[in-house]
Every structure is written in structure tokens, then in C-alpha cells.
Amino acid sequence: MDPNSDRNDENLSSLDENNKKAAENSVEAKSDAADEEVLKTPELTPYTDENGYPTNIPPKKSKEKVVVEEDDEGEESNLVEHLSELRKQLIKSIAVFLLFFIAAFSTINVWFPYVTREHKLIVLSPMEVISFYTTISAALAFGLSVPFLCHFLWQFVKPGLNERESRFLSLYSPAILILFVAGLAFGYYIVNPLSYTFLVALGEKNFDVMVSAQEYARFLLLTTMPIGLLFELPVVALFLSAIGILTSGSMKKVRKWSYVVLGVVSALITPPDFFSQLIILIPMIGLYEASIFLVTRTEKRVAAADAA
């Protein structure tokens, strides 16, 4: 026999054994990896009831999730309640305004001389008559509706106010109405006639003055409504002091600049003459000083209550 062939046979047999071992090792490695993946895969366990028995019924939601869902539902219901309450108060406000408007418009011939003060007015077109009657009636209806509108507004915002804000508005609601009416009266009985007389006398020197009804209505509203709002300055100052935004010391520090601001505001809301602006500026300065006095008095009262 050829010795070389024997050597080849031995080499081949050794290679076969090595290949077999390698194949067996690879198969074992694959099976081990498969076993590890099986171990890693979580077992799908069925639902269990209170006694530990398997069931197809999923478990109930946790109490925390139920509480969160109930809170969301509560917020949605509160929002719906607020919107429905706002809608109700708006409907009542519009109904009251329309009622006063119809009453004022239907009785315009009764109170018309008190508004015009027997001034000779002209109309430039037939439609201006309707425009004038509508404007004056709407202004009068709004003035008569203010107490009811304030009450409806109070009913809407009351649930959302804290104790301090609620107590403040309940105490000063009459003052808000009284100051607004006082401002309207001041504008109607003092500012309007003095300004009208001064401006007409100034124009009669060089012109034939003829005042249209529409312009007179505009002039009347300009000298009454804004003044009624400006007279609310003490209440606004007290409210800002009650919530901690404004103090008597800060009001005293900016007193000079406040006078300048009041002068600018009086110039913007009054007819463009110095006489009318001066008539408005003087009571505004008095109201500002009254606001400082009231805020100082309130601060002393609060400090005494805290000390006690």
C-alpha cells in the first residue's frame, strides 16, 4: 500500500471529526440562544379574579385613574355650568336693557325737554331724527339699567371670588352705584351746561351757531358718561389696596404724575376747550386725594386688626 494514501485517509478522518464537533457546537449554541430568548419573553398570564382563578374579565382601573377621570369630568361640568350661568345673566341683562329702551323710546316726548334744555336744535335729514331718538333712548336705558347690570354681574362673579374680594364687593357695591350716579349728575348739571354755554358764546362772535340734534346728543354723552366712570376712582383705589397692589405710600409718591395723567384723561373725554377740561380736572384731583385718605384709613384699620 501507498503510505501517502494512508496519511490522506487519516487527515480526512480528522477533518470529519472536527467538522462534526463544530457542527455540534453551533447547534448547541443556537439551542442555547433560543432557550434564552424563550426565557426573556414574558409569559402571557391570563386575568385573575379576586380569588386568584383565571378569568377573561380585565381588572378594574386603579383608584388614581378613576380620580383623574372624575376630576376631568368635574372640570368639564364646571365649565359648562359657568357658561350656562354667563348665558343666563347675559339674557337677563339684555332683557332689562331692552325693557328700559322700549319704555324710554315710547315716552320720549315726556322727557325730551329735560334733555335738550329747550335749546334750538336742527336736523339735517329725516333719518337723523330716528338716530337722535335712538341714541338718547339707549343712553337713558343704559343709565337706568346700571343697578340691574351690576347685580347680574355680581351674581356671576361671586362664586369665583375669594373671601376678601367677595366681602369688598358686597360692601362697596352701593358706593359704586352712588358714585356713578353722582358723576352723571355732575356732568349733566354742571359740566354740560357750562361747556355748552361757553362754546356757543365763543362761536356766536363770528358765526351763526346752529347745533344739530345728532351733535348735541354726542356732546351730551361726552359730558356725562365718561365722568360717571371717572367718579369710580376711589372704589378702584380701595379695591387695588384690598388685593395688595396699591398702597397709600405709592399713591403719594406718584401724586404729581397722577395729576398729569388726570389732566390728559380729562382732555380726552371732554370737549376740546380748556374751560371744560378744568371743570373736570378739579373734581378728579379731589377724588384722587379722597382715594389716598380712604386707602390710608383702610390700612390703619387693617394694621390695628392684625395687632389685636
Side-chain angles (χ1 to χ4, degrees):
M1 284 181 72
D2 189 3
N4 293 326
S5 62
D6 293 337
R7 290 178 182 177
N8 292 331
D9 293 336
E10 291 177 357
N11 292 331
L12 291 173
S13 62
S14 62
L15 289 173
D16 293 336
E17 291 178 357
N18 292 331
N19 291 332
K20 288 179 181 181
K21 290 180 180 181
E24 291 176 355
N25 292 332
S26 64
V27 171
E28 290 178 356
K30 290 180 180 180
S31 63
D32 293 338
D35 293 338
E36 289 179 357
E37 291 182 358
V38 171
L39 291 174
K40 290 180 181 180
T41 303
E43 295 182 359
L44 298 175
T45 56
Y47 300 124
T48 56
D49 57 12
E50 296 178 354
N51 298 322
Y53 295 103
T55 178
N56 293 327
I57 301 175
K60 295 181 180 180
K61 296 180 180 179
S62 62
K63 293 183 179 180
E64 295 179 356
K65 293 182 179 179
V66 173
V67 171
V68 171
E69 291 181 357
E70 289 179 354
D71 292 340
D72 294 339
E73 293 176 358
E75 291 178 358
E76 292 179 359
S77 63
N78 289 334
L79 179 60
V80 173
E81 290 178 0
H82 288 318
L83 291 177
S84 61
E85 181 67 19
L86 176 61
R87 176 176 172 272
K88 182 173 68 175
Q89 300 301 335
L90 286 176
I91 291 174
K92 291 195 296 186
S93 301
I94 294 173
V96 170
F97 174 79
L98 290 177
L99 180 64
F100 280 113
F101 177 77
I102 293 172
F105 194 86
S106 60
T107 59
I108 192 169
N109 293 328
V110 176
W111 51 267
F112 183 78
Y114 297 98
V115 174
T116 59
R117 302 177 187 273
E118 298 182 355
H119 296 309
K120 293 182 180 180
L121 307 178
I122 63 172
V123 291
L124 302 178
S125 66
M127 293 302 297
E128 188 173 347
V129 178
I130 301 298
S131 177
F132 175 77
Y133 286 169
T134 302
T135 303
I136 295 297
S137 299
L140 182 61
F142 176 76
L144 296 174
S145 303
V146 165
F148 300 92
L149 299 180
C150 292
H151 175 71
F152 297 149
L153 180 62
W154 166 251
Q155 292 296 323
F156 174 69
V157 303
K158 184 178 179 180
L161 299 176
N162 56 38
E163 183 179 357
R164 176 180 293 182
E165 295 170 347
S166 179
R167 185 172 63 252
F168 176 87
L169 289 179
S170 62
L171 290 175
Y172 290 98
S173 293
I176 295 173
L177 178 60
I178 292 172
L179 287 173
F180 181 74
V181 174
L184 292 180
F186 180 79
Y188 178 77
Y189 288 105
I190 297 178
V191 179
N192 179 266
L194 291 178
S195 300
Y196 184 86
T197 303
F198 174 77
L199 293 174
V200 170
L202 184 65
E204 284 179 345
K205 295 180 179 180
N206 298 304
F207 306 99
D208 293 330
V209 178
M210 293 184 295
V211 181
S212 66
Q214 188 65 28
E215 288 299 321
Y216 181 80
R218 179 174 173 271
F219 180 80
L220 179 62
L221 295 178
L222 189 62
T223 53
T224 52
M225 288 294 179
I227 300 174
L229 296 176
L230 283 177
F231 267 57
E232 303 292 341
L233 179 61
V235 177
V236 174
L238 286 173
F239 179 74
L240 295 178
S241 175
I243 61 178
I245 296 179
L246 192 66
T247 62
S248 59
S250 62
M251 294 183 69
K252 293 176 181 178
K253 289 180 181 178
V254 298
R255 178 184 275 131
K256 295 180 180 180
W257 292 106
S258 299
Y259 289 170
V260 174
V261 173
L262 290 175
V264 173
V265 172
S266 63
L268 292 175
I269 67 171
T270 55
D273 64 282
F274 177 76
F275 186 70
S276 300
Q277 296 171 9
L278 186 62
I279 294 175
I280 297 295
L281 182 59
I282 292 174
M284 288 299 100
I285 293 176
L287 288 172
Y288 186 83
E289 295 298 329
S291 301
I292 295 177
F293 172 76
L294 293 174
V295 171
T296 304
R297 186 177 178 182
T298 303
E299 290 175 349
K300 291 181 180 179
R301 186 186 306 168
V302 172
D306 293 339

